[in-house]
Amino acid sequence: MIAKISGGKSTAGLIRYLYDTKKAKDHTDPHLVASWDGFALDPGRAADFEATKKLLVADLDLHVKQAERLGHAPEQHVWHCSIRAAETDRHLSDAEWADIARRVVAAAGIAPDGDPDGCRWVAVRHAPDHIHIAATTVRADLRTARHWNDYLTADRELAAIEKEYGLHQVVRGDRTAAKRPTRAGQARTARERLRATVRTAVAAATSTEEFVYLLQHTDGILVDIKHFPSGDVRGYTVALQGDTNSQQEPIWYSGSALAPDLSLPKIRQRLEATDHQPQGSRRTNPWHQATAATERIPHRLGQADDGAAQAHLAAFGEALDVLPLLAPQGVRAQLRQAAEAFERATRSRVQAEHQHARALRGAVRAMIREPAPRDGALLAMFLDAAILVVIAAARWHQLRHHNQQVASAHQALLHLQAAYEQAAAAPLVALAQRRPPQQVVERHILLIRQAVPDHAEQVLADPAFDALAAVLANAEKTGHDPKQLLQQAADQRALDDAHSPARTLAWRIRRLSERHAPGPRAEVARARSVAQRRAVSGQPAAAAPQPPSARRR
């Protein structure tokens, strides 16, 4: 059910509209279904419509007139709430609509339960699927009703009503959504285009100064920077070139008007919580860093620290924002749509503790400063991990009843999966063509059964198994232990959510194998660490690693 609440000055004008059957074609049978005392006059069922309507207006305005004589009647004394059922809902009876009306005026503070001085109100039904509640906001004690946040309290009551009546449950928000566009006729409004541009600039910048620079050098974007008397940047507004008002002046939007997390103070918080990789440093490939940090997010979302989880979701959203800049032309549209859809899932009422996501945010900025990767496997590797993050994000939001964010995550998932299928096709074919000899494959099959027994049959039957076999064989040639790599890949994250576990294992193992093969001391130390983790979780301990000389090469 959807509620729409507004105010007004004329009780007579609202009642006239509610009972009009000439101008409003959907007003088929206007009649009262409920009122403040259950005995209000109903013009829709009276022999003399005009006389009864005047009496009803006078009754509703009684306390307003009394307050006027004392000089403290509110100027906007009319409270109007329309409540509409979904098209798929059954038709409710008058008695059911009456119950809904009483619950809504009580929740909104118009006529609280058990309050003899509550405001006067009536509920008019003039169509099968909705009612209108008309009230005057002066109470019987001549005080003005306290109905602040009436939309939120009424909406919360409607959510409970939907469940109790078995009606369609509307996806509701938590007041952290970006403002909706108000102008129609364009594929994307100016506000939406500006929001996407600003989000991309935030994801690419390493400082407030660089953020401002990127905005100022973006084609088609006008920027106005606000400064403190000291000269420090205080805020910013942006406009789209050509988007003007009736005076042909640019229509400016502040960052917070684009989205709650795009105000300059909030942008600065995120930029300050970023690990920066010095240019020319010989650290890990930033794509591998970003993928590794992304793979850890589902685990982070399963922990009890909501502030850290929210920070990882915000940083992951930044990664999605920049992907269209780095990906081949053919998948950019799907990636852009995925980023725009997931944008809603990056915010909630939970306060993000951004320092927890420093690594991912730093890796994303390092990716931008690297040449575009020629190897499509890097993008496919990241998208494979990203899909699991979006699934985990939907689950995290669902547990906290963030309904809009859940819907956004599900929508983003569809676009990411489509982009992944397209990005992964060529690299997987190239890998599969390098399938090793059958005796090597048979040995790796035994290792897979040992490392991932719960998923072994699914992995072996997966069309991507040949690619996995090729990755394992190549890793073995470079000095890695394939069994150890399989175990590491399986330990990173359960495969339960993976659509293709063979592909997921292939990308993880490929990334792990690009590191230098560990020496004997490193292997012993890792074996001890794994044994300790398994002892804590109650899993059986793995066999100790063999010395390098005993391995099969």
Side-chain angles (χ1 to χ4, degrees), residues 27-223:
H27 295 193
T28 55
D29 180 26
H31 60 280
L32 282 187
V33 294
S35 65
W36 73 95
D37 62 357
F39 299 103
L41 298 170
D42 183 3
R45 295 291 185 264
D48 190 337
F49 171 78
E50 289 296 334
T52 308
K53 183 180 69 174
K54 290 180 181 179
L55 291 173
L56 175 61
V57 170
D59 287 345
L60 287 169
D61 275 344
L62 174 63
H63 301 314
V64 177
K65 299 300 183 184
Q66 292 172 332
E68 283 179 350
R69 287 197 291 270
L70 297 175
H72 59 246
E75 183 179 0
Q76 296 254 355
H77 65 267
V78 176
W79 187 84
H80 176 203
C81 174
S82 63
I83 306 172
R84 186 177 296 274
E87 292 183 3
T88 55
D89 286 338
R90 61 182 174 84
H91 283 184
L92 301 173
S93 66
D94 281 358
E96 289 173 316
W97 277 119
D99 175 60
I100 292 169
R102 293 188 190 96
R103 291 175 62 170
V104 168
V105 294
I110 296 298
D113 288 333
D115 185 352
D117 293 327
C119 300
R120 293 193 166 194
W121 61 273
V122 293
V124 178
R125 181 181 188 179
H126 54 210
D129 63 345
H130 68 279
I131 61 169
H132 291 260
I133 302 174
T136 48
T137 57
V138 178
R139 296 162 43 85
D141 56 13
L142 302 188
R143 291 187 293 120
T144 301
R146 299 171 62 89
H147 59 94
W148 295 289
N149 281 331
D150 49 9
Y151 174 77
L152 291 177
T153 54
D155 193 57
R156 193 177 300 122
E157 187 66 24
L158 288 176
I161 289 169
E162 289 166 354
K163 292 181 180 179
E164 293 175 26
Y165 277 76
L167 305 176
H168 170 71
Q169 294 183 28
V170 175
V171 175
R172 291 177 162 83
D174 56 6
R175 305 182 79 183
T176 61
K179 291 185 178 180
R180 295 179 180 179
T182 56
R183 278 173 284 174
Q186 300 179 30
R188 296 172 78 208
T189 65
R191 189 195 299 270
E192 290 170 326
R193 293 171 65 183
L194 289 168
R195 183 186 306 135
T197 300
V198 172
R199 285 182 62 85
T200 303
V202 172
T206 58
S207 65
T208 304
E209 293 73 21
E210 187 176 11
F211 165 69
V212 171
Y213 176 86
L214 290 173
L215 280 184
Q216 291 174 329
H217 289 78
T218 301
D219 291 341
I221 303 297
L222 306 176
V223 185

Side-chain angles (χ1 to χ4, degrees), residues 292-445:
T294 299
E295 285 178 335
R296 291 192 289 268
I297 293 177
H299 174 72
R300 307 290 189 198
L301 297 182
Q303 304 302 302
D305 191 341
D306 280 4
Q310 183 63 63
H312 285 291
L313 290 177
F316 176 70
E318 292 179 21
L320 294 184
D321 287 333
V322 302
L323 277 186
L325 303 177
L326 308 174
Q329 184 69 37
V331 295
R332 288 179 186 173
Q334 289 287 3
L335 292 176
R336 191 174 295 112
Q337 289 174 297
E340 290 176 358
F342 195 77
E343 182 259 347
R344 182 67 188 94
T346 63
R347 290 190 307 276
S348 71
R349 301 287 286 182
V350 176
Q351 185 69 34
E353 298 172 4
H354 291 295
Q355 70 274 12
H356 291 284
R358 302 177 69 96
L360 176 57
R361 193 171 282 111
V364 167
R365 281 148 181 81
M367 285 163 55
I368 298 172
R369 285 154 180 78
E370 292 277 328
R374 295 181 179 180
D375 185 358
L378 290 175
L379 176 60
M381 197 183 305
F382 180 86
L383 291 178
D384 182 71
I387 286 171
L388 298 184
V389 172
V390 174
I391 293 172
R395 188 179 297 126
W396 187 83
H397 282 303
Q398 191 168 31
L399 289 173
R400 288 152 186 79
H401 308 290
H402 301 162
N403 297 327
Q404 287 188 351
Q405 288 89 333
V406 172
S408 296
H410 287 161
Q411 185 181 0
L413 180 61
L414 297 176
H415 295 299
L416 273 184
Q417 287 172 330
Y420 172 72
E421 293 296 334
Q422 190 171 347
L428 286 171
V429 169
L431 285 172
Q433 290 173 347
R434 299 201 295 269
R435 175 188 166 109
Q438 187 60 31
Q439 66 268 24
V440 177
V441 173
E442 293 294 339
R443 182 159 46 84
H444 290 166
I445 288 175

